[in-house]
Amino acid sequence: MGSIQRRRGPNVVGYLGLLQPLADGLKLFAKETLLPTAANTGIFILAPLLFFILSLMSWAVIPFGDGLVLSNINVGVLYLFAISSLSVYGIVLSGWSSNSKYSFLGSLRSAAQMISYEVSMGFIIVSVILCSGSFNLSDIVFSQENVWYISSLFPPFLMFFISTLAETNRHPFDLPEAEAELVSGYNVEYSAMGFALFFLGEYANMLLMSAMTSILFLGGWLPIFDILPFNILPSPFWLSLKICIFVILFCWIRAALPRYRYDQLMTLGWKVFLPLSLSWLVFTASVLISFSWLPM
């Protein structure tokens, strides 16, 4: 990001500044936790814990290889939807309990934004489920052994990736944390470990969305080329590589693109992505039924 923005960047801690995140984490861990006098203390402390725990719970169904999954349930997609819907509560509670207008506005923005883009993401995932015939994430990966879904579902793939940016409150859709308008959004009153938990939860969600995009459209742990020496590398390596590619895209977009206005954000979600994702779902189902490819 420092190179893209033509600045030196943090380059003091460690070689080329690579240990800067560890130094920031140690600083936040050692700082004093400040509790606003007007805040609802119990909910104020609970909100970042709830947000962080839910962001970690989502990883229970992410498969890193054949059998390398903590819980290989048949409704893994529905589980991810349930957890991602619950994480809105952590943000709303943090904004409300802070008793600050800036925090409350940021939390309401985030809740509306996450709910809006979850609708179109749901229709896109249903298109993938129709092609694979299963809600199990491992079965979705196995169904891509011959061809990845990015080839036949490329427009939904683009919409899904852009929706993940909005779902994780990242640029150019970081309206809940708009510094020019809301100081820092729903976490403006937090310090020390409370802020660190929000920060860690946000980046855990960013990694989770990168993993979901890789599993749904890029074959998950399947190698890029099914030839030697590529297919002898361990399965987690390939999924980790694909996750790293999307994380680099997240950071590149943050450094390169300006922020949307809030009305543009909602217009894109409800008037562009929702009709397109619903239309593509109907088109996918029509093609599968017409050619008798719909899995039973």
Side-chain angles (χ1 to χ4, degrees):
M1 284 180 62
S3 300
I4 293 173
Q5 296 172 346
R6 299 177 72 92
R7 58 180 172 82
R8 296 285 292 179
N11 59 350
V12 177
V13 185
Y15 177 69
L16 297 177
L18 293 176
L19 298 181
Q20 184 66 44
L22 297 178
D24 290 338
L26 181 62
K27 180 199 72 171
L28 289 170
F29 184 74
K31 284 181 70 174
E32 178 187 2
T33 301
L34 300 177
L35 299 176
T37 54
N40 188 320
T41 308
I43 300 177
F44 186 83
I45 296 173
L46 176 67
L49 291 172
L50 178 66
F51 184 72
F52 179 66
I53 291 171
L54 288 172
S55 66
L56 293 183
M57 285 175 61
S58 305
W59 287 93
V61 296
I62 299 295
F64 284 86
D66 188 5
L68 293 177
V69 55
L70 186 63
S71 179
N72 192 26
I73 57 178
N74 289 327
V75 288
V77 174
L78 296 180
Y79 174 84
L80 286 174
F81 263 121
I83 297 297
S84 64
S85 301
L86 286 174
S87 46
V88 176
Y89 286 97
I91 293 175
V92 172
L93 288 175
S94 68
W96 179 81
S97 64
S98 299
N99 202 17
S100 164
K101 293 183 178 65
Y102 293 116
S103 300
F104 191 53
L105 282 172
S107 64
L108 288 181
R109 277 186 172 191
S110 181
Q113 177 175 322
M114 294 172 74
I115 292 169
S116 299
Y117 280 84
E118 271 182 4
V119 179
S120 56
M121 285 177 68
F123 285 127
I124 294 168
I125 293 177
V126 170
S127 299
V128 174
I129 291 170
L130 282 177
C131 295
S132 64
S134 175
F135 284 86
N136 187 298
L137 292 172
S138 297
D139 291 343
I140 291 175
V141 173
F142 285 127
S143 67
Q144 300 178 69
E145 285 182 325
N146 295 323
V147 60
W148 292 353
Y149 288 144
I150 189 174
S151 58
S152 57
L153 300 174
F154 186 71
F157 161 74
L158 290 179
M159 288 190 289
F160 187 84
F161 178 68
I162 296 172
S163 298
T164 59
L165 295 173
E167 186 73 11
T168 53
N169 299 327
R170 303 289 297 180
H171 270 72
F173 307 119
D174 63 330
L175 275 302
E177 302 173 13
E179 295 88 355
E181 308 155 30
L182 300 178
V183 187
S184 181
Y186 57 86
N187 53 17
V188 67
E189 299 290 348
Y190 282 88
S191 60
M193 281 308 294
F195 177 80
L197 288 175
F198 275 120
F199 190 80
L200 291 172
E202 183 177 319
Y203 275 80
N205 285 333
M206 187 174 76
L207 293 170
L208 175 72
M209 289 299 172
S210 300
M212 278 188 65
T213 310
S214 304
I215 289 170
L216 294 175
F217 296 99
L218 294 180
W221 68 78
L222 299 177
I224 297 175
F225 301 105
D226 196 15
I227 56 174
L228 288 172
F230 295 99
N231 54 8
I232 63 172
L233 291 170
S235 300
F237 169 80
W238 291 112
L239 183 59
S240 302
L241 177 64
K242 294 168 185 175
I243 291 174
C244 285
I245 292 172
F246 284 112
V247 170
I248 291 171
L249 276 175
F250 268 88
C251 295
W252 170 66
I253 289 170
R254 177 181 176 182
L257 297 181
R259 184 181 293 121
Y260 268 53
R261 286 201 323 263
Y262 199 72
D263 60 312
Q264 293 173 330
L265 169 77
M266 285 301 173
T267 299
L268 182 68
W270 289 106
K271 294 184 179 179
V272 180
F273 280 6
L274 179 58
L276 284 177
S277 58
L278 183 57
S279 302
W280 195 272
L281 172 61
V282 174
F283 172 72
T284 302
S286 302
V287 170
L288 292 174
I289 293 173
S290 299
F291 293 93
S292 300
W293 290 340
L294 192 63
M296 300 301 292

